[in-house]
Amino acid sequence: VFVCVRESAREGLGNCISYPTLHVSKEPQGKAPTKCRVFPPPHTPTHACVHAFTHSLTHSPSLRPKSCVNELLLADQRLGWPQNAKIGKRVLGCLKASDQDLPAVCAVQVTQWFEGQLRADGKPAWDVTFSNVSPDGQCLACNHNLELINLSVEERQALTAALRQTIVDRNPDTTELERFEQWLQTKAKGHAVIDGLNIGHWERRLFAADQLKAACDHFERNGVDVLVILRIHVLKGEGNRRVLQDLLQRDAIFATSNTSEDDLFVMYAAAQQGPNVSVVTNDLFRNYKFHLSHNGLGNTFGQWFRGCRRHCNFDGETGRCSTVPPSRYDTVIQWSSDTYHLPLADTDTWLCAVDTDTITG
């Protein structure tokens, strides 16, 4: 049994709870909680806590997995780092299923877990090192080739259809969707589809039209046409319209209603436009991945999104935009029969673990 309580609900409960509980951060109405902490009751076996934890994480789209796994791995005094190989694999498998990098602060604990596993002769079962990966996906420590991002035509078509159906499910009136599709038909393939609200609000409390324009200019300087999708309220401001006037004149902006989920239109446009389209956003769209998991397309969506998403950075002095292109290989935890490769969050470093039987054999 796994009990999930918010901070306010936990107050006053004392020690009356006899199950592993998850302390979830309090967020504004309608927002998903983003942080959590595990509280095992006294004398609870470690494996029971981990089982309840990983089960809840796998089935709860409202929690950010990185926060959850980070808290689990750091909870040495409350849970103890799991030395059992099966439990460790469950934690890493949960992290992989959530498309999460390994939080850098957890790298020591994960390394200790690998190094704590011994062969029958008492020697280490894994050779662990930190490594980098070449642009074509080869680990520079063990020469293992990571899986490349390569969706089939059928997978891409299924994803496009599922995204369209999600729009229809959430707004049965298809008038706006039909108008959007007609707009897309007039555009050539190979655009960068820009999440206008996300980029305009990135690290800004108020919408910054100049920041959105800087992102558009960045791509157009590099010969890539842009399609901007945002909500209509942005264009009601005279200042915003003035900054974005050039894009409006070229019909490069589509404005959804204020009640529509513009993120869905961004993803649908990118999927529908073909394999050479980038999604320009600093959002991770995790809720949509969990939603599509019900259709068996969660992993397909995750791989597609990692292969087309471009993250934007803005210079604090000049305001110029730079982007991080997606890699050719898949940047999630990968393992084979004799290797593990775990990407560290916010770095280019990977943790590489190789079965020592392979090395010595």
Side-chain angles (χ1 to χ4, degrees):
V1 177
F2 193 91
V3 181
C4 178
V5 294
R6 286 185 178 273
E7 181 176 4
S8 57
R10 182 177 170 82
E11 295 176 0
L13 289 177
N15 295 322
C16 65
I17 298 178
S18 59
Y19 305 110
T21 62
L22 182 65
H23 176 189
V24 181
S25 64
K26 188 175 183 180
E27 300 290 340
Q29 184 69 28
K31 296 290 185 180
T34 59
K35 298 179 181 179
C36 71
R37 179 161 292 184
V38 176
F39 292 91
H43 313 301
T44 301
T46 298
H47 72 274
C49 290
V50 175
H51 174 79
F53 180 86
T54 54
H55 178 81
S56 176
L57 176 56
T58 303
H59 294 87
S60 178
S62 62
L63 297 178
R64 291 188 180 177
K66 183 182 294 185
S67 170
C68 298
V69 175
N70 178 50
E71 182 58 36
L72 176 63
L73 297 181
L74 291 178
D76 289 330
Q77 294 182 355
R78 296 192 301 276
L79 290 176
W81 174 247
Q83 297 298 322
N84 183 291
K86 292 183 179 179
I87 294 177
K89 284 185 177 180
R90 293 191 65 157
V91 174
L92 296 178
C94 191
L95 193 62
K96 177 181 180 180
S98 304
D99 294 343
Q100 297 301 295
D101 296 344
L102 179 70
V105 293
C106 301
V108 173
Q109 285 89 342
V110 174
T111 301
Q112 290 174 347
W113 175 74
F114 277 110
E115 293 177 343
Q117 297 185 58
L118 305 177
R119 300 189 312 189
D121 59 6
K123 295 182 179 180
W126 298 94
D127 180 63
V128 186
T129 186
F130 291 98
S131 177
N132 294 105
V133 176
S134 68
D136 59 355
Q138 185 177 64
C139 175
L140 300 182
C142 68
N143 296 324
H144 179 83
N145 291 314
L146 300 181
E147 296 177 9
L148 300 180
I149 295 177
N150 186 24
L151 292 183
S152 67
V153 174
E154 293 75 18
E155 287 174 320
R156 192 177 299 276
Q157 290 175 343
L159 178 62
T160 303
L163 288 169
R164 187 185 191 282
Q165 187 58 48
T166 302
I167 296 175
V168 174
D169 291 342
R170 300 189 180 186
N171 183 10
D173 183 355
T174 60
T175 303
E176 181 178 61
L177 176 58
E178 291 169 358
R179 182 167 60 88
F180 180 67
E181 290 175 325
Q182 291 173 359
W183 178 72
L184 284 179
Q185 289 176 1
T186 67
K187 309 302 177 186
K189 305 293 184 181
H191 287 72
V193 180
I194 298 183
D195 183 356
L197 278 185
N198 176 267
I199 298 302
H201 276 296
W202 183 246
E203 296 184 339
R204 300 287 191 96
R205 186 175 65 86
L206 299 177
F207 183 84
D210 57 338
Q211 187 163 277
L212 173 58
K213 185 64 165 58
C216 295
D217 290 344
H218 166 78
F219 283 95
E220 293 185 329
R221 279 196 304 271
N222 289 280
V224 180
D225 292 333
V226 298
L227 299 178
V228 180
I229 298 171
L230 41 69
R231 288 181 179 169
I232 189 64
H233 70 81
V234 171
L235 300 180
K236 291 185 178 180
E238 184 176 341
N240 291 342
R241 292 188 66 88
R242 183 169 57 252
V243 173
L244 302 174
Q245 185 62 35
D246 177 56
L247 294 167
L248 289 169
Q249 290 178 345
R250 289 187 280 127
D251 195 29
I253 295 179
F254 185 90
T256 71
S257 69
N258 292 330
T259 57
S260 295
E261 295 188 46
D262 54 299
D263 289 344
L264 280 172
F265 284 81
V266 169
M267 291 182 286
Y268 176 53
Q272 194 261 6
Q273 287 276 292
N276 298 319
V277 175
S278 298
V279 177
V280 183
T281 182
N282 291 344
D283 200 337
L284 295 177
F285 295 154
R286 289 200 187 101
N287 286 342
Y288 296 107
K289 176 182 181 294
F290 277 101
H291 171 77
L292 291 169
S293 295
H294 299 305
N295 299 334
L297 291 171
N299 290 334
T300 299
F301 173 83
Q303 191 177 55
W304 167 78
F305 190 56
R306 291 189 298 273
C308 67
R309 173 178 176 262
R310 294 183 72 114
H311 176 91
C312 287
N313 297 306
F314 296 93
D315 187 282
E317 296 183 359
T318 66
R320 287 175 67 93
C321 172
S322 61
T323 63
V324 179
S327 65
R328 293 182 58 237
Y329 55 89
D330 209 353
T331 54
V332 292
I333 293 176
Q334 299 189 23
W335 61 66
S336 62
S337 60
D338 54 8
T339 64
Y340 276 85
H341 288 90
L342 296 83
L344 303 190
D346 305 319
T347 74
D348 295 326
T349 304
W350 289 65
L351 189 154
C352 168
V354 181
D355 188 337
T356 54
D357 281 336
T358 304
I359 299 174
T360 58

